[in-house]
Amino acid sequence: MPYDDLRSFLDTLEKEGQLLRITDEVLPEPDIAAAANAAGRIGEGAPALWFDRVKGFTDARVAMNVHGSWANHALALGLPKGTSPRQQVEEFARRWDAFPVAPERRADAPWQENSVTGEDVNLFDILPLFRLNDGDGGFYLDKAAVVSRDPEDPDHFGKQNLGTYRMEVIGRDRLAIQPVPVHDIAKHLRIAEERGEDLPVAITLGNDPVIPVVAGMPLAYDQSEYEMAGALRGAPYPIATAPHTGFDVPWGAEVVIEGVIESRVRQIEGPFGEFTGHYSGGRRMPVIRIERVSYRTNPVFESLYLGMPWTECDYLVGPNTSVPLLKQLRAEFPEVRAVNAMYTHGLLVIISTAKRYGGFAKAVGMRAMTTPHGLGYVSQVILVDEDVDPFDLPQVMWAQSAKVNPREDVLILPNLSVVELSPASQPAGVTSKMIIDATTPVAPDVRGNYGTPVKDLPETAEWTERLRTLLANR
Amino acid sequence: MPDQTNDQPNDRTLPAVCPRCEHDALTTVADSPVPGVWQVFQCARCLYMWRSTEPARRTRREAYPAGFRLTAEDIDAAIEVPTVPPLAAR
Ligand SMILES: Cc1cc2nc3c(=O)[nH]c(=O)nc-3n(C[C@H](O)[C@H](O)[C@H](O)COP(=O)(O)O)c2cc1C
Ligand SMILES: [Zn+2]
């Protein structure tokens, strides 16, 4: 049964032992963020965290770390909580093939229960806002999905974008937003600003567990996140019409914030502790004027801690970055077996591929850098043979140590594009990129002394099972 | 002197200067729903926002880490992301 809202998923997490209620009173800072930070440090299987006794608030309900372990990520996809990361990625890739699944429009969204407009909008009345990291410039909405449309093609359902963009609360009814230029909302904003128009947006907060997965997923410009959500959950995704913008938003959201990005305005923003494990600089960024807020009674405020990996953010953008790259590469190169793009949203990617002929693997690496996501992220690619599991890092290190002849197999490509947030870029937004070809050369690339590889014995699979059973029955 | 950067002083009166940029135009943005527990302040220049109950390292100018401080020059020099495009000719 897919989840239509966050509350029903929190119930499942609780039943599965994956939600921890913090019953002591906590301070909004530094307790909530420190606890969520700690969840990433206690090892495998960390739970989501629930806070409802937050000092100074009367009705705060805060959910953190909802996707913050492989167990929780598996449950978000409706899989058993013990499903391995590799199996989760494979199942994700399998479900992708059902795309597009048409959404289902529903009336009576729970967030229609309450609303405020215009002068009366004050986010502090509705949300228990708090700071995450010491150097953050303020309080952020960092697990919200932002819906916007292409001003030149506003009726195109697929070009309507739903993406995760963190937003700083810079006033009671004002937010600052960071549209990274390679992302879809930046395209929408650019068109609007060239016309001198504001860009309407609908922000949805506290969503069912599939929305954060698709909102942080590098889909093609005209692919609908809602149609992908339908494929991933195996059922049409429930949407509703937001009252002020008319945009399509998740039916089950806790809070829907509507307004506009003010045309051609930039204001100081940040810094913010980012997915790179470093703070963004203080930069001038676009500003949202909030015009209407709709919300469920006693809304749950969902947020996410991010900082030095691994944190919830890394689980959230692991599989959903790996699968689009796999699909986009396979469309042209069916030889590609698996893609592990789980490091810093794909700044480093490991690809396993069969080889068509000598030099082929390096071409696959270059192609990964020219996918839509690759243009802004993929800066280092390690290529491994088809029988190496890119999710098994010791195996990858074996391949790299045994098969790389650095002068021929390490390619450095200067002056390529990358997100401006990449800490190593110089100047910001430009970087050299690297391909490490750790595959076995094939003809006509006849380098090396590979001889015959040692393969696992044909009987090993059977013995693996036998040992497991013997151990289990000891 | 003892390290006071993690103290939680909770000065609910409007401070004199912004902990981050030392500007003196500050406003109160929010009061705790439970009366008298905390307030949220904001600097008009660098937009820094903080709650009175946060540790001194986030609320006191003297304890605010050098690496996070901002000056008027930093704000003026901040780059635009994304840049504002030219207006299209109509
Ligand atoms: C927690 C979180 C915060 C993010 N913040 C931003 C952000 O502020 N700006 C941005 O451009 N991308 C941000 N991203 C990444 C985008 O959501 C992601 O790259 C997505 O694929 C963009 O898709 P789109 O181009 O379809 O909008 C964030 C992702 C996550 C998970
Ligand atoms: Zn300031």
Side-chain angles (χ1 to χ4, degrees), chain A residues 142 161 164-166 178 180 183-184 215-218 225 317 345:
Chain A
D142 76 337
N161 185 61
T164 304
Y165 302 99
R166 89 291 202 283
Q178 168 185 251
V180 166
H183 290 158
D184 293 350
M217 189 169 176
E225 284 80 6
V317 297
H345 204 8

Side-chain angles (χ1 to χ4, degrees), chain B residues 9-81:
Chain B
N10 195 18
D11 293 331
R12 283 186 297 103
T13 47
L14 199 60
V17 296
C18 168
R20 183 163 79 166
C21 80
E22 211 167 21
H23 192 59
D24 59 7
L26 309 177
T27 52
T28 302
V29 183
D31 292 298
S32 52
V34 177
V37 180
W38 45 251
Q39 286 184 298
V40 175
F41 304 121
Q42 188 177 30
C43 168
R45 177 168 72 185
C46 77
L47 305 186
Y48 182 65
M49 214 183 255
W50 71 100
R51 193 184 325 266
S52 57
T53 44
E54 290 193 70
R57 64 183 193 264
R58 303 178 185 177
T59 53
R60 291 277 180 91
R61 175 65 182 172
E62 65 279 9
Y64 198 81
F68 296 143
R69 292 184 179 196
L70 281 185
T71 62
E73 297 77 61
D74 294 333
I75 297 168
D76 289 340
I79 57 167
E80 262 178 21
V81 177

Side-chain angles (χ1 to χ4, degrees), chain A residues 16-69:
Chain A
E16 296 275 352
Q18 287 300 121
L19 177 86
L20 186 62
R21 290 179 186 273
I22 309 295
T23 51
D24 294 339
E25 185 177 62
V26 299
L27 278 166
E29 298 87 6
D31 285 334
I32 299 178
N37 186 177
R41 302 289 180 252
I42 60 176
E44 296 290 301
L49 301 177
W50 172 268
F51 303 87
D52 52 16
R53 289 187 61 210
V54 186
K55 199 173 173 72
F57 290 101
T58 47
D59 292 308
R61 285 167 186 73
V62 180
M64 302 292 289
N65 210 48
V66 170
H67 292 78
S69 59

